[in-house]
């Protein structure tokens, strides 16, 4: 199959992943390039059947950590500020939601530019508490979650532009994760974003890797054990040699 036949499908899947409930939205960037962008994710954090919002924001001061605020949805469509968590990194780059400790309450993972992954467990009342089970990579650009090894526990994949790799971290079921496998990103020096979906209909989560500066993407099909295999037929990658000076 050719690239044009697959590109619209992948594009539509990425849009659905981005705007579906319980997924991540990035707020529009401000004109100030040094100010961290706000990250927004939706879920039912107090389990009242109404969608809520969790949003990162930068406080006043260049060296102050960002703030995570939970806005509880009201029956009339408005939101009420609830819990605030003040320490989630200086420059959050990605946020993901899921039930990482299997207690039925939505939890969060926030990835910072410095490589720290902060896990916050929900109590079902709108409160999110950081755990001591944080993980540090070289950097973080994007996080996506899925059950990659079919054990009923959510896992995550994190893109790390400094090392030019994406790391698979398998969940333990108690809110902690451990690195299990990694793969190289397409091209050194670029920032890549990740999304998870079942692209080939085999019931196993797959990964798509995209770059905001290039018209390219790579699809990696899940093997069901936490590893992935690149599928050139479903991908569209730019030849790295095309970027070399002549």
């Amino acid at each position: 199959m050719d690239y044009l036949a697959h590109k619209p499908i992948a594009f539509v899947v990425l849009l659905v992943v981005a705007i579906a409930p319980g997924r991540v939205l990035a707020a529009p960037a401000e004109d100030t390039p040094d100010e961290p962008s706000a990250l927004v994710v939706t879920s039912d954090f107090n389990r009242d059947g109404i969608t809520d919002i969790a949003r990162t924001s930068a406080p006043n001061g260049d060296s102050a950590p960002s703030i995570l605020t939970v806005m509880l949805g009201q029956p009339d469509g408005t939101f009420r500020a609830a819990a605030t968590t003040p320490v989630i990194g200086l420059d959050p780059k990605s946020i993901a939601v899921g039930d990482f400790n299997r207690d039925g309450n939505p939890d969060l993972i926030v990835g910072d530019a410095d490589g720290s992954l902060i896990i916050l467990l929900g109590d079902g009342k709108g409160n999110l508490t950081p755990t001591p089970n944080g993980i540090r990579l070289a950097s973080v650009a994007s996080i996506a979650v899925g059950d990659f090894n079919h054990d009923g526990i959510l896992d995550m994949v994190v893109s790390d532009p400094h090392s030019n790799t994406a790391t698979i971290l398998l969940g333990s079921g108690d809110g902690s994760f451990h690195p299990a496998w990694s793969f190289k990103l397409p091209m050194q020096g670029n920032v890549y974003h990740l999304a998870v979906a079942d692209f080939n209909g085999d019931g196993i989560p797959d990964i798509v890797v995209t770059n905001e500066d290039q018209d390219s993407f790579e699809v990696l099909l899940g093997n069901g054990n936490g590893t992935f295999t690149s599928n050139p037929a479903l991908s569209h990658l730019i030849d790295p040699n095309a970027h070399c000076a002549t």
Side-chain angles (χ1 to χ4, degrees), residues 97-120:
V97 64
D99 182 8
F100 303 122
N101 61 347
R102 297 189 293 177
D103 64 354
N105 301 321
D107 309 310
L108 291 180
I109 296 173
V110 180
D112 196 73
D114 68 0
S116 60
L117 291 164
I118 302 166
I119 302 164
L120 303 103

Side-chain angles (χ1 to χ4, degrees), residues 50 73-79:
I50 303 173
Q74 306 301 301
D76 61 358
T78 62
F79 293 87

Side-chain angles (χ1 to χ4, degrees), residues 16-42:
V16 171
V17 168
I19 66 176
R23 298 296 181 178
V24 181
L25 300 173
E30 301 292 339
D31 292 335
T32 306
D34 295 332
E35 183 176 339
S37 299
L39 302 172
V40 179
V41 69
T42 63

Side-chain angles (χ1 to χ4, degrees), residues 150-231:
H150 270 205
D151 63 354
I153 301 172
L154 283 177
D155 313 305
M156 64 173 156
V157 56
V158 183
S159 65
D160 178 352
H162 283 191
S163 66
N164 196 46
T165 60
T167 299
I168 305 295
L169 297 111
L170 298 181
S172 301
D174 59 358
S176 63
F177 294 81
H178 62 275
W181 191 72
S182 65
F183 59 91
K184 283 291 184 183
L185 294 171
M187 191 179 301
Q188 184 76 44
N190 290 323
V191 175
Y192 290 94
H193 300 277
L194 309 170
V196 171
D198 182 6
F199 293 109
N200 61 345
D202 64 354
I204 301 173
D206 310 310
I207 296 173
V208 62
V209 181
T210 67
N211 180 274
E212 59 191 22
D213 297 325
Q214 299 173 347
D215 184 19
S216 66
F217 57 86
E218 181 179 10
V219 173
L220 297 98
L221 299 181
N223 299 317
N225 60 359
T227 66
F228 294 79
T229 301
S230 180
N231 189 299

